[in-house]
């Protein structure tokens, strides 16, 4: 059940159950992959726009960005990450974890892997960058200034999508709607108002 096609099918099931003829889809992080896959596989199915926040659209890019971010960490943290990668032991107390993240760790490990810095799960080869030009609808990409979906990468995604827009939320990380809710929600609302005009 923990696959991208299943997640896309669930979006369609929700639309049908609610009778939604037209929708704006917002995907956060991995949800961006779901939104993009839905738009690519349901062309012309009433998707008015996409909002992709902290977008995960390519595992190779995500890992490359993670490596850049890890390189900026203190030496002792970098050593802890390197040791975990070489031994496969990610459950040590010294290993960095995302604060306040709750969820099903089994799903995360199955789909992604043992840590944010290492992809070994079912998404390890995921990459939609080559198909982003097929998105022929309004798209807003939002990144936090300190996002694990680095602003440079998000801008590159936008260059591949016809008429896409980018907003970088100053001072925010990957959870920009938590870090800077007024700015993030304001950007999304402004974009949706434009699309609806």
């Amino acid at each position: 059940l923990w696959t991208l096609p299943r997640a896309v099918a669930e979006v369609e099931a929700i639309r049908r159950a609610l009778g939604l003829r037209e929708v704006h889809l917002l995907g956060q992080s991995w949800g961006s992959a779901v939104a993009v896959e839905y738009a690519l596989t349901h062309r012309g199915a009433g998707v008015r726009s996409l909002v992709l926040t902290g977008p995960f659209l390519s595992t190779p890019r995500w890992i490359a960005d993670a490596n850049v971010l890890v390189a900026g960490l203190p030496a002792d943290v970098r050593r802890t990450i390197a040791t975990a990668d070489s031994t496969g032991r990610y459950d040590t107390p010294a290993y960095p974890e995302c604060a306040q993240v709750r969820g099903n760790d089994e799903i995360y490990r199955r789909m992604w892997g043992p840590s944010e810095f290492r992809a070994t799960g079912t998404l390890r080869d995921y990459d939609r960058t080559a198909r982003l030009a097929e998105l022929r609808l309004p798209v807003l990409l939002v990144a936090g200034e300190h996002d694990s979906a680095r602003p440079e990468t998000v801008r590159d995604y936008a260059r591949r999508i016809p008429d896409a827009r980018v907003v970088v939320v100053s001072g925010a990380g990957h959870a920009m709607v938590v870090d800077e809710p007024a700015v993030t929600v304001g950007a999304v609302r402004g974009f949706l108002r434009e699309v609806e005009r």
Side-chain angles (χ1 to χ4, degrees), residues 45-168:
V47 179
R48 296 284 309 276
S49 72
L50 294 177
V51 177
L52 310 174
T53 63
F56 162 68
L57 301 176
S58 165
T59 299
R61 291 296 294 268
W62 193 273
I63 295 299
D65 283 350
N67 289 337
V68 169
L69 296 172
V70 167
L73 294 173
D76 60 326
V77 177
R78 289 194 315 269
R79 277 193 301 277
T80 299
I81 292 169
T83 299
D85 283 343
S86 66
T87 64
R89 297 275 330 245
Y90 295 89
D91 57 356
T92 64
Y95 195 81
E97 291 190 31
C98 295
Q100 300 172 332
V101 173
R102 305 284 182 268
N104 188 328
D105 190 53
E106 185 180 355
I107 295 171
Y108 179 86
R109 288 178 182 277
R110 175 79 50 94
M111 294 187 76
W112 183 253
S115 83
E116 198 64 17
F117 314 115
R118 187 165 180 84
T120 58
T122 59
L123 294 172
R124 68 184 166 273
D125 298 319
Y126 179 76
D127 190 345
R128 280 300 168 267
T129 53
R131 294 193 62 197
L132 294 178
E134 297 174 38
L135 296 172
R136 303 290 180 176
L137 71 167
V139 178
L140 173 67
L141 298 103
V142 184
E145 178 184 7
H146 309 291
D147 204 325
S148 40
R150 294 176 62 237
E152 297 85 347
T153 295
V154 173
R155 286 186 189 102
D156 180 60
Y157 292 153
R159 283 190 287 275
R160 297 166 185 263
I161 302 169
D163 201 32
R165 297 175 208 160
V166 175
V167 171
V168 176

Side-chain angles (χ1 to χ4, degrees), residues 30-53:
W30 129 263
S32 293
V34 176
V36 165
E37 289 297 315
Y38 187 87
L40 290 172
T41 57
H42 292 80
R43 295 177 191 279
V47 179
R48 296 284 309 276
S49 72
L50 294 177
V51 177
L52 310 174
T53 63

